Amino acid sequence: MSSVSAELPPNAPRLPDSWFKRLCLWAIKLTGWRIVGTMPNEKKLILIGAPHSSYWDGVYGLLMRQAIRLDLGVMIKREVLNGPLGPIVRGLRLIPIDRKAATNVVDQMVARFAAADTLWLGIMPEGTRKPVKHWKSGFLRIARAAGVPIQTVFIDYPTKTFTLGPLVHATDDTEADMARIRAMFVGYHGKHRDA
């Protein structure tokens, strides 16, 4: 079982040490959240977290990311940058996505992976905090086209844990992959609902 101050494996991208890292470490310890499991020793991957039912998921996740110094780029909707949190989130290595634009997000992310020596990309597969029957398949399409594994992260409010599940490799059968991945999240509880 890892603690909040778990060491990152050699290939994981790191943020520099800073006063902000120490502040986030203090804040995340104060909240009682922790990481369970082992970080994969991968240079490139997609990290998916669920259930995503509250803005607090992002707050705790970003605090944890900074506390352990993990350089994780996180896809967020562009509208967040225009809101009251805009000035804060601009400096947190978030990747704004315009969901209404005609540009192909999958191609953009695949190009980012191709251009980077190391890249961990965080995605909330539900695509919203509201209950959904179907997850968005973009993370699978990006993983398949970029040739990177998917790290599952189970968010559980009753135990205040981010549990690192198994690495998953996308196949050509998106429907079967989705069913297999979604089944892994059964039994974990978000702030307002389950996965």
Side-chain angles (χ1 to χ4, degrees):
M1 179 182 299
S2 300
S3 70
V4 69
S5 58
E7 287 295 318
L8 296 175
N11 285 328
R14 286 174 173 70
L15 294 168
D17 198 6
S18 69
W19 66 268
F20 188 58
K21 175 258 183 188
R22 291 185 286 279
L23 177 65
C24 290
L25 181 58
W26 171 82
I28 202 72
K29 283 183 176 179
L30 188 67
T31 67
W33 281 81
R34 60 196 171 92
I35 296 175
V36 175
T38 304
M39 289 278 185
N41 191 26
E42 300 283 340
K43 289 187 174 183
K44 300 181 184 184
L45 60 75
I46 293 174
L47 185 148
I48 61 167
H52 176 41
S53 63
S54 168
Y55 272 121
W56 284 105
D57 306 337
V59 172
Y60 295 132
L62 288 173
L63 284 172
M64 185 67 76
R65 181 192 78 168
Q66 295 295 132
I68 66 172
R69 294 177 49 209
L70 176 62
D71 189 1
L72 173 70
V74 181
M75 288 176 58
I76 62 164
K77 58 184 181 181
R78 183 173 295 279
E79 294 84 357
V80 172
L81 298 181
N82 300 328
L85 297 177
I88 296 170
V89 299
R90 280 188 186 89
L92 295 178
R93 192 155 154 51
L94 303 181
I95 302 170
I97 300 299
D98 186 351
R99 297 178 295 180
K100 297 175 183 170
T103 54
N104 187 325
V105 174
V106 172
D107 290 345
Q108 288 178 51
M109 294 303 109
V110 170
R112 278 183 184 252
F113 273 110
D117 291 329
T118 60
L119 176 61
W120 283 27
L121 176 66
I123 300 174
M124 295 297 198
E126 293 152 305
T128 180
R129 296 179 316 279
K130 299 172 186 170
V132 294
K133 290 184 179 178
H134 303 286
W135 283 5
K136 297 187 179 297
S137 62
F139 74 93
L140 280 168
R141 292 183 285 133
I142 295 167
R144 185 168 48 244
V148 299
I150 300 162
Q151 172 64 59
T152 52
V153 178
F154 314 124
I155 302 169
D156 193 58
Y157 273 75
T159 59
K160 292 188 174 180
T161 54
F162 294 100
T163 299
L164 297 161
L167 278 180
V168 177
H169 295 272
T171 70
D172 291 331
D173 190 339
T174 300
E175 192 173 315
D177 287 348
M178 189 68 80
R180 177 169 51 110
I181 292 169
R182 286 219 46 185
M184 295 177 187
F185 287 80
V186 171
Y188 292 94
H189 309 282
K191 186 171 179 64
H192 299 299
R193 61 174 172 76
D194 299 343

